[in-house]
Amino acid sequence: MSVAVDPTSTRRKARTFRLYRTIRGFMRDPMAELERISRAANGEIARLDFGASRPYLVTHPDHVQQVLRRESETFIREGTFWRPLAKLFGDSIMSEGAVWEHSKRVLQPVFSTRHLRTLTDAMAEAINTAIDKLEEPAREGRPIQVMPEMSRIVNETVIKILFGGKITPVEADRLIPAMEQVATSIAFRFLLPFVPDAIPLPGDRAYREGERIMDETLYELVERYRDDPGEGTDIFTALCNARTADGAEPTAKWLRDNLMAMFATSTETTSTALTWLWPLLHEHPDVAARLKKEIRSVVGRDRVTVAHLRELPYVTQVIQELLRLYPVGWAFSRIATKPTTLGGVEIKPGDIVIISPYLTHHLESVWDRPYDFDPERFRPDRARTYHRYAYYPFGGGPHQCIGRHVFNAEAQLILTGILSRFDFELTGEVPARPRIGATLRPKVEVEMRLTPIANGSGSGAE
Ligand code: HEM
């Protein structure tokens, strides 16, 4: 891999991309315009002049590393671009400073290697049960809508690891669509964070309604369990048992904020990533055939378990490459608290920096044939040859995604669970371009038909 720019190079001014030159492109296809700017800057720091806001766009792996890791105390997770999410997540693990640290200290052990095994075993069970529901449309030859089905499987799984047995089916059925409503209706606020709340934007009403239903449901759960959570390996129980440094019990608001943060970060991201998988496999039948062979020879007619995953290296590579092409947490920002220099450009306190895994993952100076889907990039003997920040779908530094191992296990279990039982064919349009919002959903609905595999083809003979 070659990385074009020398980050230690002398002082320079960032190349500025002014609104009057970019506005048409942004109106037509915001992602295509960002990609054009990123290509033109080719790894150097670019300045986006939106008038109301003038953030720097940072894509070079060295610069990303400086912001997320080396100078994580200078570049903190606050500022205009976090406004819409800051309101939703409140004082949770998605905030910054002491408030973030407290939540992180409570949640970290839940995601430790030892506890993860308990979580992933529960996940495998939930995933198998959720996949059972695909049998009927598959037998009837009825196509399924991929995004809603992936969301259903992911939601049923996340609800298990988040709440264990503490949530009733009625509450889950209220929470899941409300979360979906929040995730989709926040898109305009996410893309135009500097627009004051007093100015209405499309989606505002749906967003408020979704948040209201979520709040109602989460506070009901908190009310019921906060004082006496009982036993449980789920995340809710761990949160209820948390104590502050002076031994105080968690407040209802802190519990609500962290439940909201965990639910939101773990559902939309995972379902969107898994939706992209099927068009990619459809367009790469060689990859799909190799996957089926590996999966069916390891899993056979069994139900997928966490133990199988160790024997499925190609599944791992496919999921890694999926997140290179479609890193669904496609951009996030930081605000500078002190003066510093980034790629030769002087940064002042208050300056905003936008980091985009999507843009870095698609830079030609960083990746060979960046738009091609090629799981061979992550062959075990090649994966470690890349710059640590050439590939960072889960961010890095102190705020690195706490759920990355959960995602990996969940995605591998879902892919394996489906391909061990079904063949698939896309029946509608094949999406190529993402639509940017809070995540990176496909621009068109994805539809596919599953066919139960014939008895005996579980031997991997294909
Ligand atoms: C495809 C799936 C996922 C992607 C692409 C993703 C991406 C990310 C990224 C980029 C960050 C860093 C944000 C920043 O630096 O400001 C992050 C943080 C976080 N993610 Fe994920 N995530 C995924 C799945 C999950 C799951 C499954 C969970 C929970 C089970 C989760 C929980 C979190 C939390 C709590 C943080 C904040 C960590 C902190 O600030 O200490 N994510 N995620």
Side-chain angles (χ1 to χ4, degrees):
M1 179 194 64
S2 65
V3 175
V5 184
D6 174 12
T8 58
S9 52
T10 47
R11 294 234 157 153
R12 63 178 83 199
K13 265 185 88 91
R15 181 164 167 197
T16 300
F17 293 82
R18 297 192 195 287
L19 187 64
Y20 72 90
R21 286 191 185 275
T22 55
I23 183 84
R24 264 216 218 126
F26 274 118
M27 300 293 282
R28 217 176 17 242
D29 182 342
M31 182 55 103
E33 186 59 14
L34 281 172
E35 285 172 281
R36 188 188 69 74
I37 292 171
S38 169
R39 259 195 310 276
N42 192 28
E44 295 194 39
I45 311 283
R47 188 152 213 186
L48 306 177
D49 188 347
F50 293 136
S53 165
R54 300 177 68 223
Y56 289 105
L57 184 65
V58 172
T59 53
H60 191 286
D62 280 332
H63 305 159
V64 173
Q65 184 162 35
Q66 182 181 342
V67 171
L68 294 184
R69 180 159 199 102
R70 286 204 311 277
E71 291 189 23
S72 61
E73 289 184 4
T74 301
F75 293 100
I76 66 164
R77 190 163 64 181
E78 276 171 17
T80 324
F81 286 83
W82 281 102
R83 268 187 50 211
L85 294 178
K87 271 189 293 178
L88 182 65
F89 296 148
D91 291 341
S92 69
I93 188 164
M94 285 305 287
S95 56
E96 187 50 290
V99 175
W100 159 73
E101 232 176 301
H102 171 56
S103 299
K104 174 103 170 182
R105 211 168 333 139
V106 172
L107 285 164
Q108 192 77 65
V110 183
F111 291 88
S112 68
T113 322
R114 198 171 54 85
H115 195 80
L116 212 58
R117 183 62 207 244
T118 320
L119 288 188
T120 48
D121 281 342
M123 261 164 45
E125 225 181 281
I127 286 167
N128 280 312
T129 311
I131 293 178
D132 287 343
K133 294 182 198 153
L134 296 175
E135 289 279 355
E136 194 178 302
R139 264 198 319 272
E140 293 171 359
R142 197 160 25 91
I144 56 167
Q145 298 291 325
V146 176
M147 181 83 203
E149 281 304 324
M150 293 300 119
S151 300
R152 178 185 62 77
I153 298 171
V154 168
N155 280 320
E156 288 176 14
T157 310
V158 167
I159 285 278
K160 270 268 154 31
I161 63 168
L162 201 50
F163 296 103
K166 289 188 166 64
I167 192 168
T168 66
V170 174
E171 284 165 334
D173 286 347
R174 250 191 295 153
L175 211 49
I176 291 168
M179 180 75 254
E180 163 88 12
Q181 196 165 319
V182 166
T184 48
S185 59
I186 203 172
F188 275 91
R189 291 272 162 211
F190 191 81
L191 293 175
L192 302 167
F194 30 80
V195 173
D197 290 351
I199 299 179
L201 284 180
D204 279 357
R205 194 188 301 173
Y207 173 86
R208 278 194 301 273
E209 179 61 6
E211 194 186 19
R212 186 189 61 75
I213 297 170
M214 287 199 77
D215 274 350
E216 234 172 64
T217 317
L218 292 177
Y219 277 122
E220 268 169 38
L221 278 154
V222 166
E223 177 77 9
R224 223 165 48 239
Y225 288 103
R226 182 167 66 133
D227 296 334
D228 185 12
E231 297 290 305
T233 50
D234 54 274
I235 294 167
F236 184 30
T237 307
L239 288 168
C240 289
N241 285 323
R243 293 295 173 267
T244 56
D246 53 12
E249 283 186 6
T251 63
K253 168 81 167 52
W254 182 84
L255 287 169
R256 171 268 178 218
D257 290 349
N258 273 299
L259 287 173
M260 182 71 95
M262 294 310 301
F263 196 48
T265 51
S266 56
T267 46
E268 171 73 12
T269 47
T270 308
S271 333
T272 307
L274 286 171
T275 299
W276 281 110
L277 185 61
W278 305 101
L280 282 175
L281 295 182
H282 168 87
E283 290 199 311
H284 297 84
D286 51 326
V287 175
R290 190 170 155 195
L291 265 181
K292 288 184 204 170
K293 190 164 179 215
E294 179 179 270
I295 289 171
R296 291 173 192 177
S297 66
V298 170
V299 181
R301 304 296 291 172
D302 294 341
R303 287 168 89 74
V304 59
T305 64
V306 180
H308 287 131
L309 300 185
R310 274 195 299 275
E311 296 171 66
L312 298 166
Y314 196 58
V315 169
T316 310
Q317 283 174 232
V318 167
I319 298 294
Q320 283 174 305
E321 175 67 347
L322 169 72
L323 283 193
R324 189 191 63 79
L325 271 183
Y326 299 106
V328 286
W330 66 277
F332 44 94
S333 71
R334 297 291 190 259
I335 189 167
T337 55
K338 293 188 238 163
T340 186
T341 308
L342 187 60
V345 173
E346 249 179 76
I347 304 286
K348 297 193 209 58
D351 282 345
I352 303 259
V353 162
I354 296 180
I355 302 276
S356 170
Y358 182 89
L359 295 178
T360 304
H361 293 182
H362 288 84
L363 268 183
E364 263 171 22
S365 52
V366 173
W367 290 95
D368 183 31
R369 300 169 290 109
Y371 285 84
D372 289 1
F373 176 63
D374 180 9
E376 285 303 293
R377 299 179 203 272
F378 291 97
R379 242 173 35 203
D381 59 318
R382 289 174 66 187
R384 286 186 195 281
T385 60
Y386 303 117
H387 188 299
R388 160 65 186 90
Y389 285 84
Y391 177 75
Y392 58 104
F394 298 114
H399 288 299
Q400 180 169 205
C401 179
I402 200 174
R404 60 195 185 282
H405 301 304
V406 168
F407 167 79
N408 284 331
E410 190 177 3
Q412 289 170 28
L413 285 166
I414 293 173
L415 167 60
T416 305
I418 294 179
L419 281 190
S420 67
R421 293 164 67 172
F422 306 102
D423 284 319
F424 75 96
E425 58 174 322
L426 252 65
T427 45
E429 201 179 325
V430 180
R433 299 285 305 159
R435 183 200 307 275
I436 55 181
T439 61
L440 268 193
R441 288 182 171 215
K443 269 194 173 172
V444 295
E445 296 291 329
V446 187
E447 198 183 89
M448 71 177 176
R449 192 182 350 259
L450 298 174
T451 319
I453 58 169
N455 270 335
S457 63
S459 61
E462 195 164 319

